Amino acid sequence: MWLGPEEVLLAGALWVTERANPFFLLQRRRGHGKGGGLTGLLVGTLDVVLDSSARVAPYRILHQTQDSQVYWAVACGSSRKEITKHWEWLENNLLQTLSIFDNEEDITTFVKGKIHGIIAEENKNQQPQSEEDPGKFKEAELKMRKQFGMPEVEKLVNYYSCSYWKGRVPRQGWLYLTVNHLCFYSFLLGKEVTLVIQWVDVTQLEKNATLLFPECIKVSTRDSELYFSMFLNINETFKLMEQLANIAMRQLLDNESFLQDKSLPKPRKPLKNISALKRDLDARAKNECYRATFRLPKDECLDGHTDCTLWTPFNKMHIPGQMFVSNNYICFASKAEEACHLIIPLREVTIVEKADSSSVLPSPLSISTKSKMTFFFANLRDRDFLVQRISDFLQRTPSKKPCGSDREWKWNLGDPGCEEVPELPSSSPLAVSPPSALNNRPVNFCAGEVPTASQGLLKLFRRNSEELLGPKGAKEKMKEESWNIHFFEYGRGMCMYRTGKTRELVQKGIPENLRGELWLLFSGAWNEMFTHPGYYGDLVEKSMGKYNLATEEIERDLHRSMPEHPAFQNELGIAALRRVLTAYAFRNPTIGYCQAMNIVTSVLLLYCNEEEAFWLLVALCERMLPDYYNTRVVGALVDQGIFEELTREYLPQLSEKMQELGVISTISLSWFLTLFLSVMPFESAVVIVDCFFYEGIKFILQVSLAILDANMEKLLQCCDEGEAMTILGRYLDNVVNRQSVSPPIPHLHALLTSGDDPPLEIDIFDLIKTSYEKFSNLKADDIEQMRFKQRLKVIQSLEDTAKKSVVRAVSSDIGFSIEELEELYVVFKAKYLMSCYWGNNRAAAARRDQSLPYLEQYRIDMEQFKELFISLTPWSCGAHTPVLAGRLFRLLDENRDSLINFKEFVTGMSGMYHGDLTDKLKILYKLHLPPALNPEETESALEATSYFTEDVTTEVSPFVSELDFCLPCESQETPEDKGRRNDNGQEKEEKGTSPQDYRYYLRMWAKEKESKKETIKDLPKMSQEQFIELCKTLYNMFSEDPVEQELYHAIATVASLLLRIGEVGKKFSSRPVRKSEDCKTNSTQDPVSEEESPTSEQSQNSAVEQQPQADHEDKTCGDPQPEKTQQENQTLGDGSGEGQGSPLQLLSDDETKDDMSMSSYSMVSTGSLQCEDIADDTVLVGCEGGSAAARYGSTIDTDWSISFEQILASMLTETALVNYFEKKVNILQKIKEQKKVERQFSSSSDYELSSVSG
């Protein structure tokens, strides 16, 4: 490539000049190419350690003038061919012109200008797309691709200098982190190390320091542990590795492949050596942290943050912290964790005003909201820019029209009369909450149905009011008063100051009247509900009357949801629960419905109306408990792993005992999935839910630890899991809430665990207090870090389980061993995953359905199958191999969806590797019959024919067997009969419910249940054209075998014998003679013989379908010349198309009599089998002077046919063929070779390649 001229001082250092003229030098890097000796090794090592560009471009061209000591680099190249092209251009176009100049400075100026012009011309079209990444980074990406053989679509994120520890020896080199791979390259004095690991294979990432290794990063896969150290910034590297591994796990979990965010704003200052992808990932990490901290919707993107102070009126202080600004929110977090959190939705903002600066309060900014609250920020470094950004976001806020004076930075937004949420004066302690205002608006989503719950069901189903008048009622009123005072001091609604005082109030229990409002507030569900008005109503409307697997499961569980509560003992509560769960299943089909969602949702409905309960469920499933409620409850398993880790840390004595009993895995799922609602009395568990919505999963973990701690002594004395479960069950049953004003609800779990001794009651508030006292040092950030670590472990464990499940499912029918099947599964899955991130579209990702059984989840298409077949098949056919692969794919693809699963894949492979001679020949035979030989065009033509047919009686249900065509069936009727029936209106019974249809289903089911063993007699006969294709495949198959001459000799003998057998078979055929007109018609369509019509495989096709198949028989898949005319197909051609079966020149009776002397030669004509791999000394006869063509005409002999038994018997007469097909091939060796050549490396020296494993 041409380079912008750069000055070079020492032209001879580390370079060897190969060509020179008065103005230019062509140089090669020392150590590149042959030879080099010790100097070359040193230079190579230096290039790797210093990351020299000479690694990518070991050739260069320098411009020089005779008297100057300065050289200018004008071009570089990765190969001699590339650099020679540039050199020749310079010699042809510049040398003559340069000789005219007198002044050397003018020469240099002219050359530099010319080179700049060439570069500008080349980059004219590419500049817009490659402008993002800095030049040095592009060079590194080029090195990565060249070194590891990665395709263009594999993007480099960042690269770092580090050491890889091979044994006890550190190898200094470069670590390249791409979107899908971790790669390392080192070259030290001739010793080369190359590592390539897929992120999906990483099982553990750890940052640790030991005596042997200084601070290092440990990367674990199933097969190895790798250590990298000596990073300049180990924390940054580790964080990026975590992020990339997390993306890979997400891909395994829910098929989300990585898509770069193209809408990132460009940096205000150019960033050196930081790629656009790295900026994208950094932005994602910040966004996730921002959303998690303030419980914001999933699509909220952080625009920026700055240090500032916030005036807090409740304690008259300026609290230092950070202001965060995003598209729809301004948030503040104090540096001291407990001090203050604040969320201001821009939809609430009315005025943004810059106040006068002073020495005490520099750069102040005040923000006013509709609820008459004003927030005062100060110490803002770039206040003008910040105000401009806020004003931009305010203008984009929906339904808000900025007005007023821009000079004063004020906006009076909206008309108070049409605001969706009423203004709430902060001075009023009894102000009605916005959700309460929503509660008072009944919304009927489905008219005519059971009325929608427009308020919390608890308000509708209070059983007695005595508790409200007694001491408990007084306590409840005191709680409400405490919260009203808090609202007065700290504000109410989204803009409330959240402090340590708020947490204290939550720990004491939220009053029942405020519970729904505060749950919405603390979870962030209020924001999503407010920004999506009418969304829930639309979902309910769309989902009503729709049925799928999720709705069936919902119906089954509706009456199991808190059946002891009166609200769910009638249709009102049940209908509300049904609507919320069904609406969510339609919103999020990947989750749909999971057990435990019904229990949680029923509790939400007690305190909120339907819409509020729906948005709380959204917040719970998608943000607060991610991945909990999918089919594999991954999120709950991840947090279970965290719980085990915390138990080891905080309760080491108990941890070992719990592991021994296996209790943690049993208890934690039920505790976490239902937030203790299924294991504690309702009035106690609901207090847990209060704290959970405020604190998140951190609180659930610390309460779980407190429960184990309280029962430590008893648990240590347990002998088995059942005893431990009983102890914990009794304890939880007796956790009571003495302050609850609701009447106690009988807890079903308590009936099972009641013992003889009177139970010791535990107050829920005491339990919560203990959990904060002993385990409050848990941090949300630490939990997120632990979640990542556990997620790697859990997902890889699930993948291993899936692999074992699939292997176990297919092992009984397949000849491969368990080890071979596991290795094949790894290769199969890796091929699928590569298509996900290296494919041009996302079709591969879209076809993986998580709800399917493990066996069906990974499926590959024909192109992927061809790649695997070529690398794994024991039958290598050279250039003919892809054609054979295509045929095998069509044979295996029984459901015709152009995809095959793992079982179908190994079934095909097993036949080639572990079948006996008959089985292997049977597969080969089938590969040259329909459907393997049929092109896809035939199927599409058939579909078109059946679609446009006017005879509706030919549209038969796929469940109807052939036998049913012979049976009288009342349900089959003409369109006229059907019309008369519909007009009459007396017979309304549909065909789908008629007794005859049930009979069809039963018959088909019985057929499927019958174990039909295919015999060789079931195989249809083979036509002459198909036999030619088979011979061609065999010739190609033997071309690279050590005993190919013997095999050619044997197959020639067998082919000549079979040709004669086919000729003899014609004479005994009882087929009636066709009329001349029929012959003419059929000769133009080149049909196959009727004798070849199958007895078993083609029995599913109707007679109508057989004719188009014959029409397209000559268009076999793989034909590189499909545009040949019919006339060319009928005449004797060269037969050079790979998938084209050419006609055979048949021998006359006289010639067949005199064949004993020629038995060792092929009786197949040169016109019919053009195989490049046939040896020169192989003699092909039967085409002398074209006499056969003259005698027999130029068409394929449609009467000629051969059966499988005849081919098998003929093959058995030749020892060479028998030995070839009975030869054992080790597939594990093939898999090992396939992994090694998965990527093409630029060097063949001593390298290491981590296997691509799943």
Side-chain angles (χ1 to χ4, degrees), residues 211-437:
L211 288 173
L212 180 60
F213 303 118
E215 195 174 25
C216 68
I217 295 173
K218 175 185 170 187
V219 181
S220 303
T221 65
R222 290 177 178 81
D223 309 318
S224 59
E225 291 181 352
L226 311 171
Y227 292 89
F228 301 94
S229 66
M230 298 185 191
F231 290 93
L232 194 62
N233 187 342
I234 192 168
N235 291 327
E236 180 200 326
T237 311
F238 186 69
K239 193 176 285 186
L240 181 58
M241 290 168 83
E242 279 191 330
Q243 216 174 345
L244 291 167
N246 216 10
I247 290 169
M249 291 307 105
R250 181 58 54 190
Q251 188 181 33
L252 284 177
L253 179 61
D254 55 17
N255 241 25
E256 273 186 24
S257 56
F258 178 79
L259 290 175
Q260 186 179 352
D261 184 4
K262 302 288 187 184
S263 62
L264 271 183
K266 289 194 175 180
R268 296 166 73 185
K269 296 176 184 176
L271 300 170
K272 188 181 178 184
N273 290 351
I274 296 182
S275 67
L277 258 179
K278 176 74 167 63
R279 290 199 302 115
D280 179 11
L281 287 169
D282 288 344
R284 286 177 191 228
K286 287 179 181 175
N287 287 337
E288 284 170 13
C289 182
Y290 170 62
R291 290 193 291 260
T293 304
F294 299 105
R295 306 271 171 82
L296 299 176
K298 289 178 79 174
D299 55 353
E300 195 64 23
C301 293
L302 179 65
D303 187 68
H305 57 91
T306 181
D307 290 336
C308 67
T309 59
L310 171 66
W311 170 254
T312 49
F314 50 86
N315 59 2
K316 308 292 189 291
M317 285 176 65
H318 289 280
I319 297 179
Q322 280 193 318
M323 176 194 279
F324 300 84
V325 179
S326 60
N327 305 4
N328 301 295
Y329 299 89
I330 299 169
C331 301
F332 174 86
S334 59
K335 288 186 178 174
E337 191 181 356
E338 295 290 320
C340 182
H341 268 213
L342 179 66
I343 302 168
I344 309 172
L346 290 182
R347 62 177 182 268
E348 297 286 327
V349 173
T350 53
I351 300 172
V352 178
E353 187 173 21
K354 289 192 286 188
D356 295 333
S357 293
S358 66
S359 56
V360 182
L361 278 180
S363 306
L365 179 71
S366 73
I367 298 175
S368 302
T369 66
K370 294 176 186 176
S371 54
K372 305 294 187 288
M373 292 180 74
T374 301
F375 303 97
F376 201 70
F377 298 91
N379 293 288
L380 293 159
R381 276 186 298 184
D382 199 349
R383 183 176 61 166
D384 291 344
F385 177 74
L386 178 67
V387 170
Q388 184 58 50
R389 292 301 293 163
I390 293 173
S391 79
D392 292 344
F393 289 135
L394 277 168
Q395 286 171 352
R396 291 203 290 265
T397 303
S399 72
K400 304 292 187 290
K401 297 180 181 179
C403 54
S405 170
D406 285 341
R407 289 191 301 276
E408 299 176 47
W409 299 97
K410 292 184 180 180
W411 292 268
N412 296 311
L413 300 172
D415 178 9
C418 61
E419 288 172 4
E420 293 186 42
V421 177
E423 288 188 11
L424 304 173
S426 58
S427 58
S428 169
L430 298 174
V432 179
S433 70
S436 300

Side-chain angles (χ1 to χ4, degrees), residues 408-517:
E408 299 176 47
W409 299 97
K410 292 184 180 180
W411 292 268
N412 296 311
L413 300 172
D415 178 9
C418 61
E419 288 172 4
E420 293 186 42
V421 177
E423 288 188 11
L424 304 173
S426 58
S427 58
S428 169
L430 298 174
V432 179
S433 70
S436 300
L438 288 168
N439 287 348
N440 296 330
R441 289 205 314 260
V443 184
N444 193 359
F445 292 121
C446 35
E449 296 281 332
V450 177
T452 302
S454 57
Q455 56 184 328
L457 294 173
L458 207 61
K459 293 180 182 176
L460 302 174
F461 293 95
R462 287 194 187 279
R463 287 194 294 185
N464 61 8
S465 57
E466 293 174 9
E467 300 286 356
L468 296 174
L469 304 174
K472 289 185 179 180
K475 182 78 175 174
E476 186 78 358
K477 288 250 191 277
M478 284 173 64
K479 278 189 193 177
E480 285 186 27
E481 192 58 34
S482 299
W483 275 99
N484 286 328
I485 293 168
H486 185 77
F487 293 148
F488 179 76
E489 291 181 5
Y490 295 85
R492 188 169 188 171
M494 280 308 300
C495 302
M496 178 173 69
Y497 293 98
R498 303 171 196 213
T499 66
K501 184 75 188 302
T502 316
R503 173 182 282 140
E504 287 173 21
L505 282 173
V506 172
Q507 288 172 28
K508 291 174 183 174
I510 298 175
E512 289 196 349
N513 290 337
L514 296 173
R515 193 161 262 147
E517 173 191 345

Side-chain angles (χ1 to χ4, degrees), residues 12-13 119 148 269 396 487 510 514 542 624 829 839 858 890 935 940 1063 1119 1129 1179 1231:
I119 292 170
F148 304 105
K269 296 176 184 176
R396 291 203 290 265
F487 293 148
I510 298 175
L514 296 173
K542 287 176 188 172
M624 300 189 74
K829 177 181 159 189
Y858 295 115
R890 285 191 294 275
S940 59
E1063 285 295 310
D1119 186 359
N1129 282 334
V1179 181
I1231 292 171

